[in-house]
């Protein structure tokens, strides 16, 4: 694949997904060929692992400068305000998630970039089929995050059909990872519960115990993104695909954790904002098209996810000199 990509830049690169994706791409395409960007100051390990630049998705001219000066060929657009945070600041979410996206779409078109923009389970709403949600169905989300993601899916598809933009989009489930603290999403409990299990032994969950949502280990999420970006365009029958791995409830993940840590105590204190959001989202994704068109298959189920997360967080706590319960 080395010929396909001269340089890739990831906006919002210091969030949950950017750093890990950059690591994978750098191994395949060379460290200097993958640039991370964000508006935040990067930690030392990010600075030492490869090129990093400041980039604000709302600054069109500066983004254009980065793309032109570095001869970018792929752009991964991760900048976004997530579901729960977006509801608390709708004006800012609209700016970043819609105006920022428009800047990126225009620049991708102008510079013939292969553009990846993630979508989400949040792109569905209460009137969508929930179990399972297919790739193509009614989408009437009730969060600014979801509305902006549907807008992104449609704009990308429109620009592909009208001008040939190589736009690619995956609807991510809840993504579970060790390295980044939860970032204001509705599925964040599924990261926090592992940290709590190993620190205090008690987790207070902001969703009901029976709230089932699609989830995915971050390694599967990264691999899906890279494999999808590498797929020849002629194999794609869609521009936006669901990808699935597993679906579980807070109670089910707690039970699986108890196989390793029997003392885990979970109390439920549903937060009305996040519970309402979760209740409007799919219970499962139908990802038949992704499996058929470009061979998508997850590696992690619930069992593998839990043992990997507990092992990784335990190691991290021990390295930091923190107690492990």
């Amino acid at each position: 694949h080395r010929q396909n990509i001269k340089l890739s830049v990831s906006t919002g690169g210091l969030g949950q997904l950017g750093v890990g994706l950059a690591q994978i791409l750098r191994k395949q395409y060379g460290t200097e060929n993958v640039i991370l960007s964000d508006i935040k100051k990067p930690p030392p390990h990010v600075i030492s692992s490869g090129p990093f630049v400041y980039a604000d998705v709302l600054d069109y001219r500066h983004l254009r400068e980065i793309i032109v000066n570095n001869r970018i060929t792929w752009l991964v657009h991760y900048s976004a305000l997530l579901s729960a945070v977006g509801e608390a600041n709708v004006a800012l979410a609209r700016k970043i998630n819609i105006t920022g996206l428009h800047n990126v779409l225009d620049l991708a078109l102008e510079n013939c970039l292969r553009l990846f923009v993630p979508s989400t389970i949040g792109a569905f709403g209460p009137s969508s089929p929930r179990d399972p949600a297919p790739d193509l169905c009614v989408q009437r989300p009730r969060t600014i995050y979801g509305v902006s993601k549907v807008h992104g899916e449609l704009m990308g598809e429109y620009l592909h059909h009208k001008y040939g933009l190589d736009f690619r989009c995956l609807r991510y489930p809840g993504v579970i990872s060790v390295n980044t603290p939860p970032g204001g999403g509705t599925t964040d409990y599924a990261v926090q519960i592992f940290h709590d299990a190993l620190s205090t032994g008690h987790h207070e969950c902001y969703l009901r115990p029976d709230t089932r949502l699609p989830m995915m280990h971050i390694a599967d999420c990264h691999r899906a993104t890279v494999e999808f970006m590498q797929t020849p365009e002629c194999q794609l029958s869609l521009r936006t695909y669901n990808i699935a791995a597993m679906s579980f409830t807070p109670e089910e993940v707690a039970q699986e954790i108890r196989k390793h840590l029997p003392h885990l105590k979970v109390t439920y204190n549903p937060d009305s904002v996040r519970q309402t959001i979760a209740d409007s989202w799919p219970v499962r994704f139908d990802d038949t098209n992704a499996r058929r068109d470009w061979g998508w298959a997850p590696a992690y189920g619930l069992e593998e996810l839990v043992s990997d997360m507990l092992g990784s967080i335990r190691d991290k706590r021990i390295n930091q000199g923190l107690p492990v319960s």
Side-chain angles (χ1 to χ4, degrees):
H1 305 296
R2 205 168 272 273
Q3 292 74 34
N4 301 357
I5 172 175
K6 202 172 215 171
L7 264 137
S8 163
V9 67
S10 174
T11 63
L14 296 181
Q16 185 189 22
L17 298 166
V19 176
L21 184 73
Q23 272 176 343
I24 295 166
L25 289 172
R26 282 169 178 161
K27 274 185 193 141
Q28 295 194 28
Y29 298 112
T31 303
E32 294 308 307
N33 285 336
V34 180
I35 300 174
L36 265 183
S37 75
D38 207 307
I39 55 168
K40 293 180 288 194
K41 183 181 170 187
H45 74 273
V46 171
I47 287 288
S48 61
S49 64
F52 178 91
V53 295
Y54 170 87
D56 179 351
V57 291
L58 298 175
D59 186 342
Y60 183 88
R61 289 188 60 173
H62 185 229
L63 269 186
R64 176 194 260 162
E65 203 176 299
I66 292 167
I67 288 165
V68 172
N69 287 350
N70 294 288
R71 302 185 305 284
I72 298 298
T73 52
W74 286 12
L75 200 154
V76 175
H77 179 58
Y78 275 152
S79 293
L81 241 57
L82 301 186
S83 54
V85 171
E87 289 311 286
N89 196 339
V90 173
L92 182 64
R94 202 174 56 201
K95 247 189 190 161
I96 293 171
N97 296 5
I98 296 178
T99 309
L101 170 79
H102 286 187
N103 287 342
V104 163
L105 287 167
D106 289 350
L107 287 164
L109 198 53
E110 186 184 293
N111 294 282
C112 300
L113 306 183
R114 179 170 294 187
L115 174 64
F116 177 81
V117 180
S119 189
T120 164
I121 35 175
F124 296 97
S127 54
S128 306
R130 295 185 69 215
D131 191 9
D135 285 316
L136 302 172
C137 64
V138 170
Q139 289 174 261
R140 280 282 190 274
R142 291 196 181 163
T143 64
I144 186 62
Y145 177 59
V147 168
S148 64
K149 287 299 186 185
V150 174
H151 175 71
E153 293 177 13
L154 293 173
M155 282 299 297
E157 198 169 310
Y158 168 75
L159 293 172
H160 168 71
H161 290 301
K162 190 168 175 74
Y163 301 112
L165 174 67
D166 188 355
F167 171 86
R168 300 175 184 221
C169 177
L170 293 177
R171 293 196 190 112
Y172 289 159
V175 177
I176 299 172
S177 66
V178 173
N179 290 325
T180 319
T186 300
T187 55
D188 283 353
Y189 87 85
V191 174
Q192 193 59 48
I193 193 168
F194 292 102
H195 290 277
D196 292 347
L198 285 160
S199 55
T200 61
H202 173 242
H203 174 69
E204 186 177 285
C205 186
Y206 53 72
L207 296 178
R208 289 191 316 271
D210 61 346
T211 309
R212 184 176 299 283
L213 289 167
M215 301 282 187
M216 180 175 279
H217 189 289
I218 192 165
D220 274 340
C221 181
H222 285 325
R223 188 170 54 80
T225 305
V226 173
E227 288 176 5
F228 180 50
M229 282 296 273
Q230 290 171 340
T231 301
E233 224 182 335
C234 59
Q235 282 175 234
L236 304 179
S237 64
L238 298 166
R239 289 284 130 186
T240 297
Y241 290 87
N242 293 338
I243 48 167
M246 66 194 94
S247 284
F248 58 72
T249 66
E251 187 48 46
E252 285 168 358
V253 74
Q255 288 292 18
E256 191 61 40
I257 292 170
R258 286 190 192 107
K259 292 179 186 173
H260 304 258
L261 298 166
H263 64 276
L264 172 66
K265 184 171 182 283
V266 180
T267 50
Y268 295 93
N269 184 14
D271 161 63
S272 64
V273 173
R274 295 199 205 203
Q275 188 64 59
T276 304
I277 293 171
D279 288 341
S280 75
W281 283 359
V283 168
R284 274 185 195 83
F285 267 161
D286 178 352
D287 62 353
T288 312
N289 291 315
R291 290 172 187 258
R292 184 200 63 222
D293 289 359
W294 47 276
W296 164 242
Y300 289 79
L302 180 58
E303 245 176 81
E304 295 84 2
L305 173 91
V306 167
S307 53
D308 180 78
M309 285 292 286
L310 290 175
S312 301
I313 295 171
R314 184 179 278 116
D315 292 349
K316 202 173 176 183
R317 289 185 68 83
I318 290 165
N319 290 340
Q320 291 171 344
L322 296 168
V324 176
S325 72

